[in-house]
Amino acid sequence: MNVVAKILLAGSAVALSSMAVASENDPAMLKLASTSGCLTCHSIESGKPGPKGMAPIGPAWQDVAKQYRGKPGAQDFLTRVVLEGSSPYSSHWKGKVSGLSMPPNAVAIKETDARLLVSWILSLGE
Ligand code: HEC
């Protein structure tokens, strides 16, 4: 194999591994989500049942990505919902999840971290 081919191969291996880190298995994002308490109510992958076989408490983040990706303002909107919570009188996921609303998370997570998590969530399942 010539040198150019080797360099090209090495380059694509690096590209592939950084893609893997940008997705579902990103260790920094998983840690942030877990220390902020998000994973008590959310799973990453869709299709996972909630406690006692009920609908999951909150929507799987892959489903959130499917619902909001590419919509203008999604990043800002979802960051606000994460920090301030949602209203049980106008559930965004009514009938699809067993939780009626999300409590405000501003006590558990800083705005910059919430923003980081939301942009990661929006990239899931790409
Ligand atoms: C106590 C349970 C609970 C915790 C903890 C929780 N969530 Fe939620 N989350 C929910 C529920 C329930 C919904 C669906 C709300 C609705 O239908 O309006 C939701 C919805 C969402 C949505 C979609 C919002 C929308 O308007 O469609 C995002 C994004 C989200 N959560 C992210 C997070 C992040 C990030 C954290 C951690 C900082 C977190 N959640 C912690 C229960 C929770």
Side-chain angles (χ1 to χ4, degrees), residues 40-66:
T40 341
C41 302
H42 291 280
S43 64
I44 313 282
E45 283 169 41
S46 51
K48 297 252 164 82
K52 299 185 189 139
M54 295 186 310
I57 299 173
W61 283 347
Q62 285 182 341
D63 295 335
V64 174
K66 221 177 279 166

Side-chain angles (χ1 to χ4, degrees), residues 74-117:
Q75 167 82 42
D76 287 335
F77 172 74
L78 291 177
T79 303
R80 290 262 66 83
V81 177
V82 169
L83 292 172
E84 293 165 13
S86 66
S87 164
Y89 301 109
S90 58
S91 299
H92 303 144
W93 293 85
K94 197 177 174 140
K96 298 193 191 116
V97 296
S98 57
L100 284 180
S101 67
M102 176 157 67
N105 291 287
V107 282
I109 191 167
K110 286 185 294 198
E111 173 155 3
T112 39
D113 285 342
R115 199 164 278 282
L116 265 180
L117 267 183

Side-chain angles (χ1 to χ4, degrees), residues 20-69:
V21 166
S23 72
E24 275 72 354
N25 300 316
D26 187 324
M29 289 298 113
L30 287 172
K31 182 156 178 248
L32 182 56
S34 136
T35 55
S36 310
C38 318
L39 302 183
T40 341
C41 302
H42 291 280
S43 64
I44 313 282
E45 283 169 41
S46 51
K48 297 252 164 82
K52 299 185 189 139
M54 295 186 310
I57 299 173
W61 283 347
Q62 285 182 341
D63 295 335
V64 174
K66 221 177 279 166
Q67 175 86 9
Y68 289 97
R69 184 160 48 233

